[in-house]
């Protein structure tokens, strides 16, 4: 547990010092909003609000990919990852620490992105803020769980920027489905539908447990 | 302390075409120090990483004070100082050590960190990001990091590389005092003279096997040197 | 001297048997398919299913095989399991490609369009992506031990995608347009046998190709290790 907190603390402090990950993710998300506006036939406005949930989650996934890659490329400098691997604890805790910091950093970017989306698509975010935050959190846990696991893998391959999306996207379909449906439901009715949330919970639990169990093998040499 | 600090039986690390270690047998009693020499690619770093629990053997067994090296409990007994510093450039020296202390679940981490900063002579620069450190300072911090949990077994992978004579002398003195304090040391080095100076035993590795072994090498630097050269020739 | 380890001579011996079984089944299947009645509603195009369905079974066998061998590899650290895992994924991808190619051919002839986002189709497509990614991961990782381990982890995660995606897409996906003609009674007379034999043929093909591909890897490993052509 203390190792989990130590890694979480270290990642957050490192990120705070440079703020490069969060800046890149934010900038990227904002760019994506602009591009979406140009690629939608009617532009990004109230009229095309139905497309907003899907687009929002696309923006989230791609910005998560940026952040995930970076979280481990930092560990490769000076072989710091070995330093972490030396810790005399179950390596599942190491996974949890990294996944938690990734989720939090992604969460910060997601909050701002949601605001911008809300502005552009003229959604009344205040009314659905809390449940929306819940859905975003569940979705992020799903993305960052299996995402952290495979970021640790991808970053040590020859084609790391390409490898992570290729590995991750098919596995994220259940997360995306649940998250987009839940978000769309919220926008339409203001209430959370049970099924998407159930899907998210099942997927998150599965991915968290499996990642915890196999992370040891990923850190091994 | 009846268990040897280190015991390897038929230790092998291979996969498909690459054989890093082939059938290594080694037993190191507590408190002795071992120098490991040999040409590049002989398997010295692999051996150290196996002992540290960073890699798993593909054959044979390896234990640290009786516990299989790959288990978390064994990792608590080992301090590893590798080629790379294992440090974070945009954290300060103090933060790096604190992080390492917490990773190793050291009790009273802050106190321990202050102690280490003192003994490493880094107390004055403790709050500077280490990006600006000289090689010697980084090395001292790296060693402090390896010692943070006061491990009985210390592994060092070519720690003298890139150090100027003064820093090297400081390091040698540090290692000598650790040795005197009863720790078990395994030192990978290219320098037979250092080996003779700092270790009780030496082995020379080539292509994953032990090709030369010597106990009580204080007088044997020349022998060692010959063995290393021979191993290097054989490898080419 | 490390022995010509982990070469698996038993595979070569088994290949003869598996090849014979495959040939026998394939002939039986071909005969049955040709002689099977033409479906009243769908016409001759329905016979594509006699290829499509067995390929689907083999594709899923391949993916489950990869996951199983991957788990065995991680548990035992024995590289032979990794060879099977890699071979299984390759064979699985080939069959999966056939499924994705033959499906639309049949669909165009019967439903009238090439593609539909129904659950089975979508999940099979996703699985195809997962296993292509698996193969890409293997080719982009340096160091065979690391490759094996990373691939094994991904192979296990990938097989989780099957139930999770079915669950997900079932909840929300497109209308299920896949004919559920695997239940008895909904098949026309004379169609049961070609399907059954077809599935067995497909699985035999999977097994034979798996052994063949793994044998290739073992021979390669042996040749590299001993520096001599295998069998010398």
């Amino acid at each position: 547990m203390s190792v989990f907190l130590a890694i979480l603390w270290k990642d957050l402090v490192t990120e705070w010092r440079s703020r490069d990950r969060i800046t890149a993710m934010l900038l990227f998300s904002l760019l994506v909003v602009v591009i979406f506006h140009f690629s939608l036939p009617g532009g990004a406005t109230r009229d095309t609000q139905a497309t907003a949930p899907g687009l929002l989650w696309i923006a989230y996934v791609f910005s998560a990919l940026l952040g995930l890659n970076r979280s481990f490329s930092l560990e490769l400098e000076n072989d710091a990852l070995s330093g972490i691997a030396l810790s005399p604890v179950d390596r599942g805790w190491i996974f949890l620490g990294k996944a938690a910091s990734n989720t939090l950093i992604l969460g910060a970017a997601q909050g701002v992105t949601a605001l911008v989306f809300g502005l552009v698509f003229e959604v009344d975010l205040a009314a659905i803020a809390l449940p929306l935050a819940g859905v975003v959190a569940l979705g992020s846990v799903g993305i960052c769980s299996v995402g952290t696991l495979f970021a640790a893998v991808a970053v040590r391959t020859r084609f790391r920027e390409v490898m992570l999306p290729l590995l991750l996207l098919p596995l994220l379909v259940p997360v995306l489905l649940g998250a987009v449906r839940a978000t769309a439901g919220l926008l339409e009715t203001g209430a959370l539908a049970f099924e998407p949330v159930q899907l998210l919970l099942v997927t998150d639990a599965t991915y968290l447990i499996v990642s915890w169990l196999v992370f040891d093998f990923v850190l091994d040499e | 302390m009846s268990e040897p600090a280190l015991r390897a039986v038929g230790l092998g690390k291979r996969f498909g075409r690459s054989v890093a270690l082939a059938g290594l047998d080694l037993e190191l009693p507590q408190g002795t120090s071992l120098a490991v020499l040999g040409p590049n690619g002989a398997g010295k770093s692999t051996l150290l990483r196996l002992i540290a629990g960073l890699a798993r053997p593909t054959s044979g067994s390896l234990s640290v004070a009786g516990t299989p090296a790959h288990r978390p409990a064994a990792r608590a007994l080992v301090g590893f100082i590798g080629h790379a510093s294992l440090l974070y450039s945009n954290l300060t020296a103090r933060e790096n050590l604190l992080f390492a202390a917490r990773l190793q679940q050291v009790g009273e981490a802050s106190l321990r960190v202050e102690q280490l900063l003192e003994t490493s002579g880094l107390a004055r620069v403790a709050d500077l990001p280490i990006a600006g450190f000289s090689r010697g300072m980084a090395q001292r911090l790296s060693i402090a990091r390896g010692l943070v949990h006061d491990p009985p077994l210390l592994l060092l992978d070519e720690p003298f590389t890139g150090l100027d004579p003064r820093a090297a002398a400081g390091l040698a003195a540090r290692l000598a005092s650790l040795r005197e304090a009863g720790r078990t040391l395994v030192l990978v080095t290219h320098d037979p003279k250092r080996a003779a100076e700092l270790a009780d035993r030496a082995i020379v590795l080539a292509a994953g096997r032990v090709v030369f072994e010597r106990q009580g090498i204080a007088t044997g630097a020349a022998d060692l040197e010959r063995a290393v050269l021979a191993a290097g020739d054989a490898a080419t | 001297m490390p022995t010509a380890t982990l070469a698996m001579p038993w595979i070569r011996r088994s290949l003869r048997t598996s090849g014979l079984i495959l040939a026998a089944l394939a002939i039986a299947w071909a005969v049955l398919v040709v002689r099977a009645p033409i479906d009243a509603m769908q016409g001759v195009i329905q016979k594509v299913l006699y290829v499509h369905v067995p390929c689907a079974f083999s594709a899923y066998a391949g993916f489950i095989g990869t996951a199983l061998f991957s788990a065995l590899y991680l548990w035992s650290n024995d590289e032979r399991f990794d060879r099977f895992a890699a071979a299984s994924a390759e064979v699985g991808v080939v069959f999966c490609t056939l499924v994705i190619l033959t499906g639309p051919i049949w669909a165009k002839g019967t439903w009238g369009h090439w593609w539909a986002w129904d659950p089975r189709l979508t999940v099979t497509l996703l699985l195809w992506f997962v296993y292509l990614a698996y193969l890409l991961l293997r080719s982009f990782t340096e160091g065979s031990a690391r490759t094996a381990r990373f691939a094994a982890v991904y192979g296990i995660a990938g097989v989780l995608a099957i139930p999770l995606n079915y669950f997900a897409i079932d909840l929300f996906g497109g209308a299920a347009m896949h004919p559920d003609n695997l239940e008895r009674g909904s098949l026309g007379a004379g169609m049961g046998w070609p399907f059954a034999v077809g599935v067995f043929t497909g699985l035999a093909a999977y097994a034979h190709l798996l052994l063949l591909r793994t044998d290739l890897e073992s021979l390669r490993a042996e040749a590299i290790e001993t520096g001599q052509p295998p069998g010398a």
Side-chain angles (χ1 to χ4, degrees), chain B residues 30-45:
Chain B
Q30 306 254 6
T32 47
S33 48
L34 173 73
V36 180
L37 302 97
N40 289 328
K44 314 189 293 293
S45 295

Side-chain angles (χ1 to χ4, degrees), chain A residues 7-26 66-75 98 100-109, chain B residues 88-91 95:
Chain A
I7 293 178
L8 181 57
W9 166 83
K10 188 269 295 175
D11 275 357
L12 291 177
V13 168
T14 317
E15 181 55 30
W16 179 251
R17 289 278 159 85
S18 62
R19 285 181 287 260
D20 58 358
R21 243 201 282 178
I22 188 115
T23 316
M25 288 162 79
L26 268 175
L66 273 183
L68 285 168
N69 250 324
R70 187 93 178 112
S71 88
F72 278 98
S73 62
L74 284 173
E75 301 288 354
K98 291 301 271 183
S101 66
N102 285 333
T103 311
L104 286 176
I105 294 175
L106 178 62
Chain B
Y88 295 94
S89 347
N90 60 359
L91 292 181
E95 284 165 346

Side-chain angles (χ1 to χ4, degrees), chain A residues 17 75 78 82 87 221, chain B residues 49 70 75 86 88 95 103:
Chain A
R17 289 278 159 85
E75 301 288 354
N78 299 327
S82 291
S87 175
E221 284 163 26
Chain B
R49 293 184 88 93
H70 192 74
R75 294 202 285 268
L86 275 59
Y88 295 94
E95 284 165 346
L103 278 181

Side-chain angles (χ1 to χ4, degrees), chain A residues 158-159 167 174 217 220-221, chain C residues 139-140 142 149 154 160 165:
Chain A
R158 281 208 301 268
F159 223 167
L167 292 177
F217 295 110
D220 250 347
E221 284 163 26
Chain C
S139 51
F140 280 122
E142 314 246 340
R149 226 173 321 106
Y154 193 64
L160 286 178
N165 278 319

Side-chain angles (χ1 to χ4, degrees), chain B residues 30-168:
Chain B
Q30 306 254 6
T32 47
S33 48
L34 173 73
V36 180
L37 302 97
N40 289 328
K44 314 189 293 293
S45 295
T46 306
L47 176 61
L48 248 55
R49 293 184 88 93
L50 282 169
I51 301 172
L54 291 172
R56 232 189 274 240
T58 46
S59 56
S61 70
L62 178 63
S63 62
V64 172
T67 314
H70 192 74
R71 299 247 187 90
R75 294 202 285 268
L77 300 170
V78 176
F80 177 80
I81 291 143
H83 271 139
S85 69
L86 275 59
L87 299 167
Y88 295 94
S89 347
N90 60 359
L91 292 181
T92 66
R94 178 172 281 125
E95 284 165 346
N96 265 293
L97 285 181
L98 257 176
F99 179 56
R102 293 197 184 129
L103 278 181
Q104 294 291 340
Q105 302 187 306
V106 171
E108 300 208 6
S110 327
L111 202 58
R112 177 82 181 135
V113 166
E114 294 310 315
Q115 262 173 12
L116 282 168
L117 287 169
E118 277 298 327
T119 48
S120 313
L122 293 168
R124 267 179 307 132
V125 292
D127 290 309
L128 295 176
I130 64 170
F133 277 20
S134 70
R135 166 90 195 157
M137 290 159 80
Q139 188 69 309
R140 275 184 277 155
L141 185 59
S142 194
I143 292 179
R145 203 213 103 259
L147 289 171
V148 75
H149 52 303
D150 206 13
L153 173 61
L154 199 57
L155 308 172
L156 301 112
D157 199 349
E158 301 188 38
F160 291 95
T161 315
L163 290 185
D164 63 43
R166 217 189 73 166

Side-chain angles (χ1 to χ4, degrees), chain C residues 21 23 42 52 69 71 73 101-102 110 127 131 147 159 213-214 219:
Chain C
I21 297 180
Q42 299 173 26
H52 178 83
F69 291 124
Y73 168 69
L101 288 176
T102 54
T110 50
L127 222 43
Y131 283 90
T147 304
V159 90
R213 184 68 185 84
T214 312
L219 290 175

